[in-house]
Amino acid sequence: MDTTRDNNESNKLLASVDWFTVLLYLVLVVAGAISIYAATTNSMSQVSIFDFNTYSGKQFLWIGLSFVIGFALLLIDRRMYEGYAYLIYIIMIVILIATAFFAPNIKGSHSWLKFGAVSLQPAEFAKTATALALAKLFSTYGFKLGHWRTYIVPLAIIFIPVFCILLENETGSALVYISLIFVLYREGMSGFVLYAILAAVSFFVIMLKFADQLVMGIPMGSFIVFTIVMITIVVMLFFYCRAVIPGRNVAIGYIASALLAWGLSAIGVSINGYAFFFTVIPLSIIYLLIAMFRENISRMLLTIGFAVASIIFMFSVNAVFNNVLQPHQQNRIKVALGIMEDVKDKGYNVNQSKIAIGSGGVTGKGFLQGTQTKLNYVPEQHTDFIFCTIGEEEGFLGTSAVLLLFLLLILRVIAIAERQHTAFGRVYAYCVASILIFHVAINIGMVIGLVPVIGIPLPFFSYGGSSLWGFTIMLFILLRIDAARAEYGTW
């Protein structure tokens, strides 16, 4: 009887697994191994794709072990993941700290633990542990985001591993965890926080990009940021305080001031940009204080706080860029923004990568026919820059197919998240989706020169057991949690 019951449970589990997601996973990992073979093998070579002495052969070995890991994860009771989420997280934090202090120095980073001939990167596995801990927190009875105090624990869960990984001098891996902020937004965080983050990134880029151009006697970057801040203040006032609408008067004041400034400059009267802006903004703030104090103090302070914080941030960009970021990080940002042109040194990787992708055209040069790849013009082309191999040999059609596969996988993960009957399953699924989106967007953006080179692998494609196992564990835990959804209601 026990054997029959176990067989029935196993059959029910297999029937409940989202096999479409498994199929997408299989296609991605196999395509990744083939791409690694193309990136590291000469067309005249007779080496087998399964030769364990080659990168592709080793990747297939990692893939085989990943299948075993994935199957084992499906057999574990989904309650184990929720019950031991915090313990798994604490263990991973301890491992990350130990890695920072005891791992060998590899290219300036202490992020790899060596076990004989095998090296593993704990930061790749800590993503799953962090996602589990965050999901566990949101599944706690009565927990929800509201007062600012409710943000302390989830932010701590996210940023503790970030701090530990920064100790390892592995900035790229640390940035991935910040993508989990999107999960907080899904669970009730104000959209204004996301806007503030986007504004900070935009201000940073604008201040650096337009630092050398002047408008009204001030750098164009400062002028643009000031303009964005003023527009944001007006929009926030209309949105938050539609009943009072003092923002209309503020908008009129801005327009009138701008017209006055341009009119005076047209007749030869020069106006210092800083004096202009530092007159308009304080007067606007004083007006807001008077007009809105009795109506909506909290939203008024939020609006003013955004303006003041934006200005402070604007004037701190250069100090942060020059004194906090390391020289190689500064150079990568300058290359990405087009401030520095150095195709033979700092921008060499990205330049060669863009040449490889552009030379592929629509249909590509053909499998194992990529000249940029075969002549090793692109460094790290089998790891972080694997996408350029696809672009050169398979062309626009091949890269589009890869992007479509990732899009289908991400949309499938989001669909899985929305059909969960528990907060634990929903939050964990959105963590997986956020991490996948960040990895794909940043890696491909890095390869085509849209973002600085920060060393983030392309999921399932870049060579390495740690990355592959990390994403496999993350995805198959989600599949196991999803397979148990029938326990909580109708499918």
Side-chain angles (χ1 to χ4, degrees):
M1 292 295 292
D2 290 339
T3 302
T4 303
R5 184 176 64 183
D6 290 341
N7 289 335
N8 290 336
E9 291 179 353
S10 298
N11 292 334
K12 183 178 179 180
L13 172 62
L14 292 176
S16 302
V17 172
D18 192 314
W19 289 106
F20 181 69
T21 303
V22 175
L23 177 62
L24 289 174
Y25 165 80
L26 293 175
V27 173
L28 284 168
V29 296
V30 172
I34 294 174
S35 299
I36 292 170
Y37 179 73
T40 57
T41 304
N42 192 286
S43 59
M44 302 299 294
S45 174
Q46 300 298 317
V47 178
S48 169
I49 192 173
F50 300 107
D51 188 338
F52 289 156
N53 292 319
T54 65
Y55 286 114
S56 60
K58 294 176 183 177
Q59 188 71 2
F60 271 111
L61 176 62
W62 300 128
I63 291 173
L65 294 173
S66 294
F67 292 163
V68 175
I69 293 173
F71 181 74
L73 292 172
L74 291 177
L75 297 179
I76 298 175
D77 192 319
R78 51 92 51 205
R79 289 171 293 187
M80 297 287 287
Y81 298 120
E82 184 172 359
Y84 291 97
Y86 287 148
L87 179 61
I88 295 172
Y89 177 79
I90 292 172
I91 292 174
M92 283 308 309
I93 294 300
V94 172
I95 294 175
L96 288 176
I97 295 174
T99 303
F101 290 99
F102 299 108
N105 188 330
I106 301 177
K107 296 182 180 180
S109 173
H110 297 266
S111 57
W112 295 85
L113 290 178
K114 296 185 69 68
F115 301 94
V118 178
S119 297
L120 294 177
Q121 188 176 19
E124 294 294 334
F125 305 100
K127 299 170 190 174
T128 301
T130 304
L132 288 171
L134 204 59
K136 174 67 174 177
L137 175 65
F138 278 94
S139 66
T140 304
Y141 179 75
F143 180 83
K144 64 178 181 179
L145 296 177
H147 192 272
W148 66 267
R149 293 188 184 90
T150 60
Y151 288 88
I152 296 176
V153 176
L155 289 177
I157 290 175
I158 294 173
F159 284 99
I160 287 176
V162 171
F163 175 76
C164 294
I165 296 172
L166 287 176
L167 289 177
E168 302 172 4
N169 198 23
E170 190 67 31
T171 307
S173 297
L175 290 176
V176 175
Y177 292 80
I178 300 177
S179 66
L180 297 177
I181 295 293
F182 291 103
V183 180
L184 303 188
Y185 171 71
R186 171 59 181 82
E187 294 303 311
M189 184 181 73
S190 171
F192 179 76
V193 177
L194 288 183
Y195 176 77
I197 295 173
L198 176 63
V201 175
S202 301
F203 295 167
F204 186 85
V205 172
I206 290 171
M207 289 295 296
L208 292 178
K209 179 67 175 178
F210 301 102
D212 297 331
Q213 303 177 41
L214 297 179
V215 175
M216 297 175 63
I218 63 175
M220 181 180 288
S222 300
F223 178 82
I224 296 174
V225 170
F226 271 124
T227 303
I228 295 174
V229 171
M230 289 190 294
I231 293 174
T232 301
I233 291 174
V234 174
V235 172
M236 289 174 66
L237 290 174
F238 276 113
F239 182 77
Y240 286 143
C241 310
R242 292 184 292 272
V244 183
I245 319 183
R248 177 181 57 189
N249 299 333
V250 177
I252 293 173
Y254 284 153
I255 295 172
S257 300
L259 291 175
L260 176 62
W262 287 113
L264 291 174
S265 64
I267 62 175
V269 179
S270 177
I271 298 178
N272 182 272
Y274 284 115
F276 171 70
F277 283 116
F278 279 106
T279 299
V280 174
I281 290 180
L283 289 177
S284 301
I285 292 175
I286 293 173
Y287 170 75
L288 294 176
L289 286 169
I290 297 173
M292 298 179 58
F293 184 83
R294 296 181 180 179
E295 299 294 335
N296 203 323
I297 183 66
S298 60
R299 290 178 174 177
M300 178 197 68
L301 292 177
L302 178 63
T303 305
I304 297 172
F306 172 80
V308 174
S310 297
I311 295 172
I312 294 174
F313 180 81
M314 180 186 70
F315 284 107
S316 66
V317 166
N318 287 332
V320 171
F321 183 78
N322 294 320
N323 300 319
V324 176
L325 297 181
Q326 299 180 15
H328 72 278
Q329 295 171 330
Q330 297 176 16
N331 292 331
R332 289 176 179 178
I333 293 175
K334 288 180 179 178
V335 169
L337 295 179
I339 300 173
M340 173 188 292
E341 294 292 339
D342 190 0
V343 297
K344 294 183 179 181
D345 187 12
K346 309 302 180 184
Y348 178 80
N349 289 26
V350 175
N351 184 62
Q352 294 298 324
S353 175
K354 290 192 290 186
I355 291 174
I357 294 175
S359 66
V362 176
T363 59
K365 297 178 179 178
F367 186 61
L368 300 181
Q369 301 303 313
T371 54
Q372 293 291 113
T373 297
K374 297 300 165 286
L375 297 177
N376 295 319
Y377 280 112
V378 185
E380 309 296 335
Q381 59 190 5
H382 62 295
T383 54
D384 295 342
F385 282 81
I386 188 69
F387 191 74
C388 74
T389 300
I390 302 170
E392 183 179 23
E393 297 193 351
E394 309 304 328
F396 175 77
L397 296 179
T399 55
S400 297
V402 171
L403 290 175
L404 179 60
L405 285 172
F406 277 118
L407 177 62
L408 288 174
L409 177 61
I410 291 168
L411 291 177
R412 192 64 174 180
V413 171
I414 293 175
I416 290 174
E418 288 299 323
R419 73 187 183 193
Q420 297 305 301
H421 297 283
T422 65
F424 180 83
R426 181 182 67 250
V427 172
Y428 180 78
Y430 271 106
C431 288
V432 175
S434 298
I435 292 171
L436 284 173
I437 292 172
F438 189 89
H439 265 272
V440 173
I442 298 300
N443 178 272
I444 295 178
M446 174 184 73
V447 170
I448 62 178
L450 293 181
V451 299
V453 177
I454 54 178
I456 289 181
L458 185 63
F460 311 117
F461 273 80
S462 295
Y463 173 78
S466 294
S467 176
L468 178 60
W469 286 2
F471 281 108
T472 298
I473 292 171
M474 185 187 303
L475 187 61
F476 275 83
I477 288 179
L478 173 62
L479 293 175
R480 180 61 185 92
I481 293 172
D482 179 62
R485 66 189 183 279
E487 301 173 11
Y488 299 92
T490 305
W491 285 31

